[in-house]
């Protein structure tokens, strides 16, 4: 039976979660679920928030910068079902005294797997190969066409050597890749696994046959992979992004793909998604995925339970394990 006492916190859940997580949150909180998984706009979320103490939302909720300032006083904590929190203003939340938590750690392997899929898919032409077969365009095979790019033994640059970046490096080692990385600070030797640290992003780029974007979206990283950065990559390099779309400059990336400066790109995330730049759909040398880095049942369940853990800790008067504010 769901809790009904007035002392039990009320939690608004904006999207449908895995069944085990919905069952749990309904047992420990007075939870308002979204069984139809219908996206809610800002006005609806704010209207519903007035009757709740907490919100469990996702990075897919497009609520905008006006969201947190407009929240009613009843909201004490926001738990985001994501590692990234660029869809929320942490300074605004701090100013209103609202706690914010995220879900680090539990989606590391799933997202790193997608990064490797992007590398392999972009390099070996998974998109155009699939279309050739589906559209019955598979003609006579020759020794010179169609062809992709080698992955094994190549140089991989990782932008952002956090948990996911390190997991990408471990996987890339299996392909004999030489690993380079740039982060704000070098990681411990045992975590770097022999990867070469570059204190300056620009200094790493000439050593990157592949560039994997694995950093958070922050004011410092947005637009970081721009025309100037791409120009420093070797001709025929490949860029993959499994982090956040706004780290890449779409115009610069598309121009480099058309000109041949870049051989290919693999993208799981996009600026303004799902309303992506339509030019990407016209390019044969781009491997596109619909932001599925964490999209496995086990990972999405673990993320939801991490949200619930943080909410329970907060309402017990404890510091949530994944507090951002």
């Amino acid at each position: 039976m769901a809790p009904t006492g007035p002392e039990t916190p009320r939690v608004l859940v904006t999207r449908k979660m895995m069944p085990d997580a919905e069952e749990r949150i309904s047992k420990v909180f007075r939870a308002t679920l979204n069984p139809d998984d219908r996206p809610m706009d800002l006005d609806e979320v704010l209207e519903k928030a007035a009757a709740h103490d907490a919100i469990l939302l996702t990075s897919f909720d497009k609520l905008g910068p006006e969201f947190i300032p407009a929240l009613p006083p009843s909201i004490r904590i926001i738990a985001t079902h994501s590692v990234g929190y660029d869809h929320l203003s942490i300074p605004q939340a701090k100013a209103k005294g609202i706690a914010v938590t995220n879900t680090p750690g539990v989606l590391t392997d799933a997202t790193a797997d997608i990064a490797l899929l992007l590398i392999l898919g972009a390099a070996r032409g998974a998109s155009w190969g699939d279309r050739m077969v589906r559209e019955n365009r598979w003609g006579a095979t020759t020794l010179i066409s169609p062809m992709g790019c080698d992955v094994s033994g190549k140089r991989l640059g990782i932008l952002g050597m956090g948990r996911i970046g390190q997991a990408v490096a471990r996987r890339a080692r299996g392909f004999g890749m030489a690993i380079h990385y740039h982060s704000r600070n070098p990681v411990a030797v045992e975590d770097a696994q022999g990867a070469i640290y570059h204190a300056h992003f620009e200094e790493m780029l000439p050593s990157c046959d592949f560039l994997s974007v694995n950093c958070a979206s922050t004011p410092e990283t947005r637009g970081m992979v721009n025309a100037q950065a791409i120009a420093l990559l070797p001709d025929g390099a490949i860029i993959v992004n499994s982090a956040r779309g706004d780290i890449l400059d779409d115009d610069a990336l598309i121009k480099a793909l058309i000109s041949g400066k870049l051989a290919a790109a693999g993208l799981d995330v996009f600026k303004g998604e799902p309303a992506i730049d339509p030019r990407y759909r016209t390019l044969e040398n781009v491997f596109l995925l619909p932001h599925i880095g964490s999209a496995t049942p086990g990972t999405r369940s673990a993320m939801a339970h991490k949200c619930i853990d943080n909410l329970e800790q907060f309402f017990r008067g404890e510091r949530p394990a994944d507090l951002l504010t």
Side-chain angles (χ1 to χ4, degrees), residues 30-54:
R30 287 183 287 164
T32 300
L33 304 179
N34 185 353
D36 298 324
D37 203 24
R38 179 180 56 80
M40 293 186 282
D41 62 18
L42 174 64
D43 290 341
E44 184 175 0
V45 171
L46 291 175
E47 180 183 356
K48 291 180 181 295
H52 294 82
D53 305 294

Side-chain angles (χ1 to χ4, degrees), residues 60 107 110-115 117-118 241-242 267-270 273 287-296 299-300:
F60 304 129
L107 68 167
T111 305
D113 288 348
I114 286 292
L117 175 60
L118 292 172
N241 187 7
S242 56
L267 307 174
D268 184 46
V269 290
F270 304 85
E273 62 186 43
F287 180 43
L288 305 172
L289 295 175
H291 199 156
I292 57 172
S294 65
T296 69
T299 300
R300 291 280 169 85

Side-chain angles (χ1 to χ4, degrees), residues 2-56:
T4 58
E7 73 285 352
T8 305
R10 305 158 298 175
V11 179
L12 172 63
V13 182
T14 62
R15 300 300 297 265
K16 187 174 180 60
M17 300 189 297
M18 297 298 293
D20 57 322
E22 292 195 336
E23 181 180 2
R24 177 186 169 195
I25 200 169
S26 297
K27 286 180 178 178
V28 295
F29 296 113
R30 287 183 287 164
T32 300
L33 304 179
N34 185 353
D36 298 324
D37 203 24
R38 179 180 56 80
M40 293 186 282
D41 62 18
L42 174 64
D43 290 341
E44 184 175 0
V45 171
L46 291 175
E47 180 183 356
K48 291 180 181 295
H52 294 82
D53 305 294
I55 302 177
L56 194 164

Side-chain angles (χ1 to χ4, degrees), residues 103-183:
T103 63
V106 292
L107 68 167
T108 298
D109 286 332
T111 305
D113 288 348
I114 286 292
L116 260 292
L117 175 60
L118 292 172
I119 289 172
L120 292 168
R124 298 307 303 269
S127 289
W128 53 254
D130 180 79
R131 288 195 295 272
M132 284 178 66
V133 176
R134 291 181 185 276
E135 297 170 8
N136 197 25
R137 294 189 286 117
W138 185 8
T141 301
T142 75
L143 296 179
I144 59 172
S145 178
M147 289 194 293
C149 305
D150 288 318
V151 173
S152 296
K154 296 297 184 179
R155 301 169 297 175
L156 171 65
I158 296 175
L159 174 57
M161 197 66 157
R163 292 182 180 93
I164 295 172
Q166 292 169 32
V168 172
R170 287 194 297 273
R171 286 156 174 75
R173 287 288 182 209
F175 291 87
M177 301 185 86
I179 313 297
H180 299 256
Y181 77 97
H182 167 71
S183 291

